[in-house]
Every structure is written in C-alpha cells, then in structure tokens.
Amino acid sequence: MLHRFLTPTEIILGKDSIKEIEGIIERENFQSALILTDKGIVQAGILPSLTNLLEEKCTYTIFDEVEPNPTDRVVEKAFSLFLKVKPDVLIAVGGGSSMDTAKAVGILATNGGEIIDFKGIDKVKAPITPIVAVPTTAGTGSEVTTTTVINDTKQILKYSIGGQHVAARWALLDPALTLTLPPHITAATGVDALTHAIEAYTSKKSYGLTDTLAVQAIRLIGENLRTAVFEGNNIEARQKMLEASLIAGIAFNNAKLGLCHALCNPLGAQFGVAHGVANSILLPRVTKFNLPAQLKKYAIVAQLLGENTDNCSVNEAAEKVVTAIEKLIIDVQLPFTLGEVGVDQKAVTQMVDECIDNPLIDINPRKATRDELIQIYKDCFH
Ligand SMILES: [Fe+2]
C-alpha cells in the first residue's frame, strides 16, 4: 500500500505568534481581510489582539455569526458579506467552526456553486481564498486539516468536504489566545483532540509516520489536559495542548479517524451535542469495542495516559485503556451519558441509519455491524 502524507499549511506555534500576521499581510500585499469568528470570541475580548495588528496594514471586516456545528445557512450569510467586501484574505479566529466556515467561504469564492456541490473528496478544483487560521481552542486541528465539516439544514445531516485545496495557508497557534477559554470548553475540545489522536493511531490507514505523531499527541494530552482545564492561566499547559491538537490534526488528516467520529455526527446534527462532548461520551465505549482488534496499540495508549502497565501482559495493559480514558473524562468533568446531553434513546436506530455509510466505519480497527453500532449508542446511555 502507498502512503500519501499531506500537510499544506505553514505552522507558526508559540506565544505572540499572532504578531506574524503583520508579516503575512505585508509579504502577500493583502489589502482587505474578512475576519470570521463567533460572538463568544468577541465577548471574551480576544479580537483586539488581532485587529490592533491589522489597523495600519489593511482594511478589515468582521463576521461574528459563526455557530457551533456550522450550517450551510451560516456559510451562505458569511459568503454574502464576502461578496460585498471582496477581501483577499480570510482570517478565522475561534474553534473548528470558525475555521470550517472560512474554508467553506473560501471554496465558494473561487469555485462558485453551492457548498453542498463539494461534498466528498477532491471536488474542490480551484485553490481557495487564502486563509489564516488562528485557533482559540486546542481540539479540532482544523487549522492543519484538509477538510471542512458542514451541517446541512435541509437534510439535517453533517457532511465533509475534503481535498488538498481545503486547507488554511497559515496557522498561527498562540497559547495566549486560549487562556480565557472556559474549563468545560477546554475539556471538550481537549478530548476531541485525544479522540483524533487515538483514532488516527488505531485506524487501518495508520502507519509509522502517522503513529509517531499520534503517540506524541496522546502523551501531551495525558500530561497537560487536566492542568489546562483547572489552571486556565498556565500558558505552558495551554501551549502543549495547542501543540497536541495540531499534531493530532496532522496525524488524522493522513491516517483518518474511526467509529467515534462516524457516530458523533448524528448527535451534532440532530441534537446539537457539541462535537467534543459527543466524542467524550463515545470514546470509552468505542475503545471497549475496538480493544480486541488493536491490543498492542491500546496497551501503549494506556501507558501514554499514565496507567502503570509494568509486569502486565499486553491484554492486561490494553484493558487499562478504558479506565484511563474514563478517569480523564470524569476528572475534567465532562458528561458521561447521552441522556445527560438531551439525546433521546428512541432516536438510536435512526442515527445508525444516518451514519452507517460513513467510510470511517470501514477503516475503524474493528468492523462493526449495524446491530453493534446500535449497541454502542445504547451503551452510551448507561
Ligand atoms: Fe473531532
């Protein structure tokens, strides 16, 4: 099998990396920027650290209506503003939703059509409007992935658009911008990054290069997520978490994901469950299901998450991984059942019907039947 490794984004990581925006604007001779963000970012007072730098470099317009699980409607609204101001660069400030919205707007700007036209892989033929991604959460990895995920409001489903053009050109990862992130969002986005790393590590598409990245991301999250949640001002832990989500992003962009990400889409589309929260509920159950198919790797994950596996057989060490994940999720105070986040158990079979054709199910380490998918969802209610 041939392995293709793609990482088209220039990455700048470290405190004050936001200041690199000045050099980018000057070098590229950008005259006008459209900033895509959400109201939470505006209220948290994060934007001036960017706009103060832009003041004398270029004109800028702010679109602050990005929503979690970004919909086609939000994309259309942002694109109408794009058509009015005709910017030559998009600056996404926020979590995955801001970055995914920016990618979708960038696609429409240079490829025309409607966003649903690009559903799938490699449908985006022309390079998109340049994007500077400024993540303010450490989780999605969207700053370095070649995909965007859009929520279709007509069919009530989430779909991906992927391909080499569907990427930010620059990613500025400044831990200072994540200091005000509340504990529950730090926790949920951090567990999303952990899910990326574990699913990339155990995926059927994983190989040495992606494994190296996934292992490092799992280690960093195991060592730093609790600190980032409980000591929000700890800039070192914040930077390590940004680094972890970035590395996990590069890993899963190449090794892909698995059952957690297949099963979490209907939870977001139908019940509005935040992506990271959905993953945190699914991860222990999916890991338990996958365990027999990847014993050696799960034994390593248990160790990376701090379990003592000395003198354990591979089986014994692997079994500790579920406990390690559960302990982390409980420690960072995330919900543990789907009932807690308002999901109706009666919707289980319909949710399985919605995700059963997701190609991630085929690269998950253990092949799941329809009945097994139903059972995994049901397990999430106990
Ligand atoms: Fe994710």
Side-chain angles (χ1 to χ4, degrees):
M1 199 204 319
L2 293 177
H3 301 293
R4 190 170 73 126
F5 194 90
L6 192 62
T7 180
T9 307
E10 181 178 340
I11 299 157
I12 306 164
L13 169 71
K15 191 169 173 293
D16 294 331
S17 56
I18 186 70
K19 292 182 181 163
E20 294 289 313
I21 194 83
E22 294 177 302
I24 293 169
I25 301 281
E26 270 174 29
R27 267 197 315 277
E28 302 290 327
N29 196 26
F30 291 140
Q31 304 296 316
S32 159
L34 176 59
I35 299 170
L36 296 118
T37 191
D38 62 63
K39 295 208 162 49
I41 298 293
V42 176
Q43 279 156 15
I46 290 171
L47 278 194
S49 56
L50 167 71
T51 52
N52 289 345
L53 297 166
L54 294 180
E55 257 358 301
E56 290 177 12
K57 301 286 175 194
C58 68
T59 60
Y60 64 86
T61 306
I62 298 168
F63 177 83
D64 67 358
E65 294 177 57
V66 169
E67 291 167 3
N69 297 317
T71 60
D72 43 8
R73 284 195 202 128
V74 169
V75 170
E76 282 157 21
K77 204 165 181 186
F79 184 54
S80 319
L81 185 58
F82 179 99
L83 292 174
K84 261 187 220 155
V85 299
K86 297 189 176 62
D88 37 24
V89 62
L90 300 170
I91 307 177
V93 184
S97 304
S98 293
M99 295 184 268
D100 282 3
T101 303
K103 288 177 183 177
V105 169
I107 290 167
L108 292 177
T110 57
N111 288 267
E114 288 185 31
I115 199 63
I116 189 94
D117 301 340
F118 303 95
K119 180 182 170 189
I121 297 288
D122 289 334
K123 303 268 175 61
V124 179
K125 300 299 178 193
I128 69 172
T129 308
I131 296 173
V132 183
V134 183
T136 59
T137 65
T140 71
S142 184
E143 68 276 12
V144 284
T145 64
T146 51
T147 49
T148 178
V149 181
I150 301 298
N151 208 343
D152 184 288
T153 50
K154 290 164 205 105
Q155 299 172 59
I156 317 183
L157 56 85
K158 279 177 100 171
Y159 62 89
S160 297
I161 297 170
Q164 62 168 339
H165 295 310
V166 193
R169 194 175 297 176
W170 300 270
L172 307 181
L173 296 110
D174 189 335
L177 302 188
T178 68
L179 294 177
T180 55
L181 199 66
H184 68 283
I185 301 179
T186 305
T189 50
V191 173
D192 184 29
L194 177 65
T195 311
H196 294 158
I198 293 177
E199 295 210 296
Y201 188 43
T202 54
S203 140
K204 282 185 182 155
K205 284 190 173 264
S206 64
Y207 63 104
L209 182 50
T210 57
D211 283 354
T212 306
L213 295 165
V215 161
Q216 177 63 358
I218 297 165
R219 189 196 319 274
L220 285 170
I221 296 165
E223 290 172 354
N224 294 284
L225 180 56
R226 290 175 177 89
T227 310
V229 169
F230 292 107
E231 289 174 42
N233 273 325
N234 187 320
I235 197 144
E236 199 183 323
R238 291 292 195 179
Q239 177 155 331
K240 296 283 187 199
M241 282 306 300
L242 267 181
E243 192 178 336
S245 73
L246 162 85
I247 298 172
I250 300 170
F252 89 75
N253 199 45
N254 291 283
K256 308 302 172 197
L257 295 161
L259 264 192
C260 283
H261 276 79
L263 292 170
C264 79
N265 279 351
L267 297 169
Q270 278 197 43
F271 295 98
V273 183
H275 179 77
V277 172
N279 273 323
S280 83
I281 296 168
L282 286 160
L283 185 60
R285 282 81 175 192
V286 167
T287 303
K288 208 173 194 172
F289 174 77
N290 283 344
L291 215 53
Q294 277 284 15
L295 280 175
K296 273 190 193 165
K297 282 191 166 176
Y298 283 118
I300 292 168
V301 176
Q303 201 179 16
L304 292 167
L305 291 179
E307 292 296 308
N308 183 353
T309 56
D310 294 350
N311 306 317
C312 288
S313 67
V314 174
N315 286 35
E316 288 163 347
E319 276 167 16
K320 290 189 172 196
V321 76
V322 179
T323 317
I325 291 168
E326 285 177 351
K327 273 198 273 190
L328 181 62
I329 289 166
I330 289 165
D331 282 354
V332 298
Q333 298 176 338
L334 285 168
F336 202 71
T337 65
L338 287 178
E340 288 170 66
V341 293
V343 177
D344 184 349
Q345 198 167 340
K346 290 189 201 111
V348 163
T349 46
Q350 193 199 334
M351 292 195 297
V352 168
D353 290 341
E354 273 169 32
C355 67
I356 198 149
D357 294 327
N358 190 319
L360 294 179
I361 293 174
D362 295 328
I363 57 163
N364 187 68
R366 181 175 169 191
K367 180 81 184 141
T369 63
R370 188 172 184 278
D371 285 347
E372 284 165 338
L373 294 175
I374 290 172
Q375 191 55 50
I376 291 170
Y377 269 141
K378 283 186 175 169
D379 288 346
C380 292
F381 285 88
H382 308 294

